Each structure stands twice: as structure tokens, then as C-alpha cells.
Amino acid sequence: MPTLLLTYFGPFSGTPSNPTGQVAQRVAQLLAGSAPGLSVQVRELPVEFAASSRALAEILDEVQPQIAIALGVAVGRDKVSLERVAINMDSARIPDNAGDQRTDTPIQLDGPTAYFSTLPTRAIFERLTADGLPLELSYSAGTFVCNHVFYELMHKTGGFIPAGFIHIPLSDSDLLKAKGQLSSPCAEAGGLEGKTAPTPTLALDLMAQILEGCIALTLETLTQPGA
Ligand code: PCA
């Protein structure tokens, strides 16, 4: 039975509510019905540069997934973003949840400049946008903890499994929960700066349905090598 690892994050500086936990749980429920042969392991990662690397290494070791997808929120984006490139740099104006504020810091001293996602991002984008779903291909996951986890995920899985990162917009309930505490989008955290209000959102159920589709198409590549 193949195993899918799905990771999510909690709140962080300027973003008091993160939809990725609820979305990951809903995706797991949907997959229990649509892909009963798939074991789905949902895990939270800390929004911390150093601790997320350690946690991810432990989780990969424990779960030994055949597919790994990390989720993060990108405030200001209005579509589910299939991230294609992770870069070897931590740099952000905001600190992580441990107070660590990094500027132009390499993630892996001897690592390559960048990794590409090994999820079938092009095929997912074409198939799901043809169904009218709000998805985009993205060439920057920023330089905060999401890009960090994406880079570490690709570094540690070494291209041997389909793995990658997907940013999602905020949900309506996040905006309600944030009650004015939401800061303006931060580009390093994948956000879209310079956009005027209102902050775009997508419904949790729609985001879960899109991710279920992403995973179904990725599963097809496990059974059809080279697809
Ligand atoms: N988004 C942030 C970190 C955690 C999250 O959900 C980012 O895009 O870097």
C-alpha cells in the first residue's frame, strides 16, 4: 500500500490563522473514500527554519512515504499554487516562530542552488485548470520557512519519490479568525505584495478537492512510470 505524507503549518508572524491544517485533514477524509488503497499520514511542521529541518527528517524516516507533499499558506494569492522551484536560501524580513530572522543564509552549505519539484506539476495544472479549477504554476515559494521545507524535502528525498510543495490561499474562516490581526502579505512567505484589499480567499472544501485531484494525478504516475 503506498503511503502519502502530507505536512502542514500552524500560525506565524502576521498570519494568526493557517488553513493548511484543516485542509490537510479534509484531504485525508476525501482520500479515505476515493483512494482507499492509500495510507495518508498527516503531520504538522513547526514554522521554524532549524526545527522544521529536524522534524521533517524524523517524519520522513518514520513514515517512509512514496509521495510527499508539503502545504503552506501564501497570503494574497487567489489560486492553489503548484510550486516548481525550491532555492537554497533563507531570507525574510519576518522572524520564524523561534525568533530566528535570517538574511541570505544557505539552507545546505554544499547543496545545489535549486531543486525542481518532482510532482507532475505541469500535468496537474493542465488537467485541473481544464476542469475550471483555480490553480497556477509558481516559480517562487519565497525564501521563508515554506521554501526552506520545500528545499529540505527535495534534498532529503533525492528525486526518488514524487515530492513537492503546494501553497494555498487563506480561507474565509481564517479572515474571520484573524479579526484584523492579519499583516499585509509578505513576499518571502510566498505572499503577493502590493495588492489592495480584500484579501483573496478560497473555500476550504474547494481547496481540499483540488488537492485530492493533485494527489490522484500523482498516484497515476506511480502506476505508469514515465507518465
Ligand atoms: N506559509 C509560510 C510559512 C508557513 C506557511 O504556511 C511561507 O510561505 O513561508
Side-chain angles (χ1 to χ4, degrees), residues 184-186 191-197:
S184 40
C186 171
L192 267 193
E193 293 189 16
K195 273 207 149 187
T196 47

Side-chain angles (χ1 to χ4, degrees), residues 60 68 112 115-118 150-163:
L60 286 170
Y115 284 107
F116 290 135
S117 171
T118 50
F150 183 16
Y151 187 92
E152 289 284 60
L153 178 62
M154 303 319 298
H155 191 75
K156 292 177 199 314
T157 55
F160 291 111
I161 61 168

Side-chain angles (χ1 to χ4, degrees), residues 8-12 15 18-20 45-49 71-75 77 83 94 141-148 165 167-168 186-191:
Y8 67 94
F9 289 108
F12 58 97
T15 307
N18 195 324
T20 55
L45 291 174
V47 188
E48 297 177 26
F49 293 112
L71 301 176
V73 66
V75 177
R77 294 200 197 183
E83 298 296 350
I94 55 171
T143 42
F144 190 49
V145 180
C146 285
N147 173 73
H148 180 95
F165 196 95
H167 262 125
I168 64 173
C186 171
E188 295 98 309

Side-chain angles (χ1 to χ4, degrees), residues 13 18 23 26 28 33-34 59 74 92-94 109 113 122 164 172 176 186 194 211 223 227:
S13 174
N18 195 324
V23 166
R26 287 191 195 206
S34 62
I59 291 168
R93 285 163 288 176
I94 55 171
L109 277 177
T113 304
R122 172 70 59 190
D172 297 342
L176 290 175
C186 171
L211 290 168
T223 46

